[in-house]
Amino acid sequence: MFVLAKRLALAAVIVVVGALVLIWLALFSSLLAEPRGAYAERILAERLGGNLAIAGVDFSLDSGLRFNARDLVLSGSKESGANPLEITQLSVAIEWRDLMNRQLHLSDVQVSSARIALSVDADGTANWQGLDIADLPIPKTAGESSGSGWQVSLSDKQISLSDSVITYQSAVSGLDLDLEMSSVELNQSDANWNLQGDGQLNKQPVKISGALSADQSFDLSAAFDELNLKIDGKPAEGDLRSGFSANITADISKLSQLLDILKLQKPISGTGTASAVFTASGGKRSIDDLKLHVDLDSGESLNLTGKFGEIRDLNQATLKMDISLYPPDEMPAPAKLRRDLKLTGLEVVLTAQPEG
């Protein structure tokens, strides 16, 4: 009887050790990193949607279960070529006890070397169009779930990104932006998400800060050495997924830095202010209530007011430009003869005609 019990105990130990070895191989061994990546890719594609590829997945037990994924790629349409999102390393701690209840509690989210590449071709087609991205709950009201049916939440309300790059290129407008962020911190406090980041926009140093409130109103500011940009927005019909409107203001201490950001030559120098209202709703993008004032160091000034309306067809555009060629205190004397006439300024009104 004793011998039988001893054999049963030995068999049980062998089974347990074998099971632990199999679990270790399945979850932690580098030999199965690619199969784990393929499995995680399939599961995440089902849960999150989109064309997602993952090169490899590892798990660790450093202060709990930690999920590490490398070389994540979210591909766009085949015509666009460029991938909208690439991440070299994603690491997140997971509360494994809640997984069986379809609850995904994440903490200590760390993203390394993320690259977001947004582009618009000559036909106005964006490379991110057609992507079926899940409705992740950042931010969401308490108890609200994502479109996949999973309850997703951040336990420590913080996300860290390092060495991230966002590029935007438009063949329609010619706008070319390259934002390199050395560090970005997202954290939640009092139901508000806060953003802080340091980096460069087209090689110009910039500090970015912002906040997203529980009512989904938001603000974003970018501070350069000689330029301050501020955006204050609110959702359309109470939900950002339906669209939004934003007041945009800019205070320009030196036009030269703005021209550097826009990758333009610098034949002029001066100061200026600008404001506009940008609206995105129902697939339309419009710019209204545009106000621009520029004072050049050479004495000329420009006032521009009006609206572009829908920026993709401009059938509603109306612009008024008031150009002064002399500063107010240096106007030429009134002409007494025809040869003394001088052009001191001009006013131009541009009004679009439908289909014209």
Side-chain angles (χ1 to χ4, degrees):
M1 189 69 177
F2 176 76
V3 175
L4 179 60
K6 186 177 180 180
R7 289 178 177 177
L8 290 175
L10 181 60
V13 170
I14 292 174
V15 170
V16 170
V17 172
L20 291 175
V21 170
L22 291 176
I23 292 174
W24 178 83
L25 287 172
L27 296 180
F28 304 105
S29 173
S30 59
L31 296 175
L32 299 179
E34 291 188 8
R36 284 195 302 268
Y39 179 73
E41 175 185 323
R42 180 171 61 84
I43 296 298
L44 291 176
E46 292 176 357
R47 303 303 184 196
L48 306 182
N51 304 317
L52 184 66
I54 303 176
V57 170
D58 295 312
F59 291 89
S60 65
L61 294 175
D62 183 16
S63 301
L65 181 62
R66 174 168 285 275
F67 172 85
N68 302 288
R70 67 175 186 275
D71 297 330
L72 290 84
V73 177
L74 183 65
S75 58
S77 61
K78 295 181 179 179
E79 295 79 9
S80 65
N83 296 319
L85 175 63
E86 296 180 359
I87 297 177
T88 300
Q89 186 77 28
L90 171 64
S91 177
V92 58
I94 299 175
E95 295 290 341
W96 60 271
R97 298 179 184 85
D98 299 318
L99 294 178
M100 298 302 295
N101 297 323
R102 299 176 68 86
Q103 295 182 7
L104 193 59
H105 295 300
L106 311 177
S107 63
D108 192 21
V109 180
Q110 300 176 12
V111 180
S112 176
S113 300
R115 180 178 179 85
I116 300 175
L118 308 177
S119 62
V120 180
D121 63 22
D123 296 329
T125 303
N127 67 330
W128 64 88
Q129 289 180 358
L131 289 179
D132 180 22
I133 305 301
D135 174 26
L136 292 179
I138 303 176
K140 285 190 176 296
T141 57
E144 189 176 357
S145 65
S146 67
S148 64
W150 280 64
Q151 295 281 348
V152 184
S153 64
L154 290 174
S155 300
D156 57 4
K157 314 298 184 185
Q158 184 167 330
I159 302 174
S160 300
L161 298 90
S162 61
D163 300 324
S164 302
V165 177
I166 301 175
T167 60
Y168 176 83
Q169 293 180 323
S170 174
V172 177
S173 65
L175 190 60
D176 185 357
L177 300 176
D178 187 352
L179 178 61
E180 301 178 5
M181 300 301 297
S182 57
S183 65
V184 177
E185 294 289 336
L186 278 166
N187 61 78
Q188 189 178 28
S189 175
D190 298 329
N192 297 333
W193 279 93
N194 301 303
L195 166 70
Q196 296 287 336
D198 290 287
Q200 293 184 338
L201 177 59
N202 288 353
K203 306 304 180 182
Q204 298 300 307
V206 61
K207 290 183 178 294
I208 294 178
S209 61
L212 178 60
S213 304
D215 61 1
Q216 297 193 19
S217 61
F218 60 92
D219 65 78
L220 179 67
S221 63
F224 299 85
D225 292 336
E226 307 293 345
L227 169 65
N228 288 301
L229 176 67
K230 186 172 179 57
I231 302 174
D232 294 298
K234 59 182 180 180
E237 301 178 356
D239 192 336
L240 283 174
R241 288 167 289 190
S242 301
F244 67 91
S245 63
N247 296 316
I248 305 173
T249 57
D251 187 1
I252 308 165
S253 300
K254 286 189 178 180
L255 283 174
S256 57
Q257 185 165 50
L258 175 61
L259 297 176
D260 283 334
I261 293 172
L262 297 177
K263 295 184 177 181
L264 299 175
Q265 295 182 0
K266 296 180 287 187
I268 58 175
S269 61
T271 63
T273 60
S275 64
V277 177
F278 178 80
T279 303
S281 181
K284 296 182 178 180
R285 309 289 185 267
S286 62
I287 296 178
D288 300 294
D289 197 19
L290 175 63
K291 298 177 182 178
L292 173 65
H293 178 78
V294 174
D295 290 313
L296 300 183
D297 292 342
S298 54
E300 298 90 341
S301 63
L302 165 68
N303 280 297
L304 173 65
T305 58
K307 65 176 184 178
F308 285 106
E310 170 58 43
I311 58 179
R312 284 180 291 188
D313 60 36
L314 300 181
N315 284 331
Q316 299 175 337
T318 300
L319 298 174
K320 178 182 178 181
M321 290 182 288
D322 188 356
I323 302 173
S324 177
L325 301 179
Y326 292 89
D329 57 349
E330 296 182 14
M331 284 289 185
K336 295 181 180 181
L337 300 174
R338 184 174 59 183
R339 66 171 178 266
D340 296 330
L341 290 174
K342 292 183 179 181
L343 181 65
T344 60
L346 63 152
E347 182 178 294
V348 181
V349 177
L350 302 176
T351 302
Q353 296 179 350
E355 308 303 328

